[in-house]
Amino acid sequence: MKEKRDLKIQAIENGTVIDHIKAGQALNVLRILGISSAFRATISFVMNALGVRGKKDVVKIEGKELSVEELNRIALISPKATINIIRDFEVVQKNSVVLPSYVEGVVRCINSNCISNSREPIKSRFSVLQAEDEGVTLHCLYCEHVILEDIAENLL
Amino acid sequence: MKEKRDLKIQAIENGTVIDHIKAGQALNVLRILGISSAFRATISFVMNALGVRGKKDVVKIEGKELSVEELNRIALISPKATINIIRDFEVVQKNSVVLPSYVEGVVRCINSNCISNSREPIKSRFSVLQAEDEGVTLHCLYCEHVILEDIAENLL
């Protein structure tokens, strides 16, 4: 029996397609969106798919449009992602995520002695810089620590 | 622009298609297989897809065949899953998972006072029963506690 070379998966009627996600980050995108086993709508994803410009991930979610907070978090881990809003099977909107220049209360500082990790009610604050590739750098505005990788692991 | 009703995703050349996974359990299957952001091969999945017999999940993994331990864990959370082995785009083998009648060191007992949760070097031991639907019941052979749900959350 032949494994179909083009496996067809359901398109979505209403919802969001997140395309051009940095390869390997799809599971983190699901985490950002709070998607667990309890989620009842249709979701599909491809991780490390071979696209025209190299490997990428794609996530499709039925019946969900993303909040600004969710978009900002996705931008931090995948600044070249695109967001397609689908209504009645039509792409009604196609945008790129925009990397915020500043984030507050979104990422945990990796410096355990940073005041934002103390018991004080102080939210973490970072300035955000983008490298030419898909790299994102966070600079802590309290302790000046720099986060180059592991942003996904430190999302609050 | 039309969202294509049949989105095509890459078929796999060599690897495994896990079909008829209990709806919602695909993320737990990925967890059982140790798949994280660091995984470099192509993976796709659909969660809550509308199949002929109701909702199901499907996972496709390039370049991986499953071990007996992985198959047993998948059977516990999704006893009706089928495993298709793909080689050179051909389905060379199609099997159902088999629910083990007994598991040792696979699931944590939910009774915190169970001897298998003590500091003693004692592996958890359960007998396994399947209900008519997709439900699986575990009976602890030490403390007689029964696990009806949350098997996925308690996998070791």
Side-chain angles (χ1 to χ4, degrees):
Chain A
M1 188 168 42
K2 267 280 176 208
E3 149 84 343
K4 281 167 279 180
R5 287 203 184 220
D6 295 311
L7 179 77
K8 288 176 180 175
I9 58 170
Q10 274 176 301
I12 53 176
E13 188 173 346
N14 293 291
T16 303
V17 176
I18 311 168
D19 200 355
H20 302 290
I21 299 168
K22 189 174 173 182
Q25 293 299 317
L27 285 171
N28 288 326
V29 168
L30 295 188
R31 204 152 54 85
I32 287 170
L33 302 178
I35 287 164
S36 68
S37 301
F39 198 76
R40 288 286 159 262
T42 306
I43 305 161
S44 61
F45 88 23
V46 191
M47 213 167 115
N48 301 312
L50 257 178
V52 184
R53 286 167 286 183
K55 284 187 175 181
K56 66 169 185 176
D57 291 6
V58 184
V59 172
K60 306 182 80 171
I61 309 168
E62 180 74 43
K64 182 168 171 71
E65 296 191 10
L66 277 54
S67 70
V68 175
E69 287 73 21
E70 289 168 334
L71 290 169
N72 279 346
R73 283 173 161 78
I74 292 170
L76 288 178
I77 64 166
S78 191
K80 293 184 179 171
T82 60
I83 309 289
N84 302 307
I85 310 286
I86 315 291
R87 289 203 192 119
D88 197 18
F89 295 107
E90 297 273 353
V91 180
V92 294
Q93 215 176 308
K94 190 182 181 117
N95 293 305
S96 296
V97 294
V98 176
L99 198 61
S101 57
Y102 165 80
V103 285
E104 190 179 295
V106 170
V107 180
R108 186 182 299 107
C109 184
I110 54 171
N111 170 16
S112 58
N113 293 321
C114 178
I115 192 165
S116 66
N117 285 321
S118 69
R119 292 189 182 178
E120 304 296 322
I122 294 171
K123 286 184 178 173
S124 71
R125 294 171 64 205
F126 292 92
S127 64
V128 182
L129 287 172
Q130 185 177 4
E132 272 195 31
D133 60 358
E134 288 187 279
V136 171
T137 310
L138 301 182
H139 294 256
C140 178
L141 297 181
Y142 296 113
C143 73
E144 297 185 359
H145 257 69
V146 173
I147 307 184
L148 287 165
E149 290 173 3
D150 302 334
I151 294 177
E153 285 69 20
N154 290 293
L155 282 172
L156 293 168
Chain B
M1 189 168 43
K2 267 280 178 204
E3 149 84 345
K4 281 167 281 183
R5 289 204 182 218
D6 296 311
L7 180 79
K8 288 174 180 177
I9 58 169
Q10 276 176 301
I12 54 177
E13 189 173 345
N14 293 290
T16 303
V17 176
I18 312 168
D19 199 357
H20 302 291
I21 300 167
K22 189 174 172 182
Q25 293 299 317
L27 285 170
N28 288 326
V29 168
L30 295 187
R31 204 152 55 86
I32 287 169
L33 302 178
I35 287 164
S36 68
S37 302
F39 197 76
R40 288 288 159 261
T42 306
I43 305 161
S44 61
F45 88 22
V46 191
M47 214 167 115
N48 300 312
L50 258 178
V52 184
R53 284 168 288 183
K55 284 187 175 182
K56 65 170 184 175
D57 292 5
V58 185
V59 171
K60 305 182 79 172
I61 309 168
E62 179 74 43
K64 181 167 173 72
E65 296 190 12
L66 277 54
S67 70
V68 175
E69 287 74 21
E70 290 168 334
L71 290 170
N72 279 346
R73 283 173 161 77
I74 292 169
L76 288 179
I77 63 166
S78 190
K80 293 184 178 169
T82 61
I83 309 290
N84 303 308
I85 310 287
I86 315 292
R87 287 199 194 122
D88 196 19
F89 296 107
E90 297 274 352
V91 180
V92 294
Q93 217 177 308
K94 191 182 179 116
N95 293 304
S96 296
V97 293
V98 177
L99 198 61
S101 57
Y102 165 79
V103 286
E104 189 179 294
V106 170
V107 179
R108 186 183 299 108
C109 184
I110 53 171
N111 171 15
S112 58
N113 293 322
C114 178
I115 193 165
S116 67
N117 286 320
S118 69
R119 292 186 183 183
E120 304 295 323
I122 294 171
K123 286 184 178 174
S124 71
R125 294 170 65 205
F126 292 92
S127 63
V128 181
L129 288 173
Q130 184 177 2
E132 272 196 33
D133 61 358
E134 288 188 279
V136 172
T137 309
L138 301 182
H139 294 256
C140 178
L141 297 182
Y142 296 113
C143 73
E144 298 186 357
H145 258 68
V146 173
I147 307 184
L148 286 166
E149 290 172 4
D150 302 332
I151 294 177
E153 285 68 23
N154 289 294
L155 282 171
L156 292 168

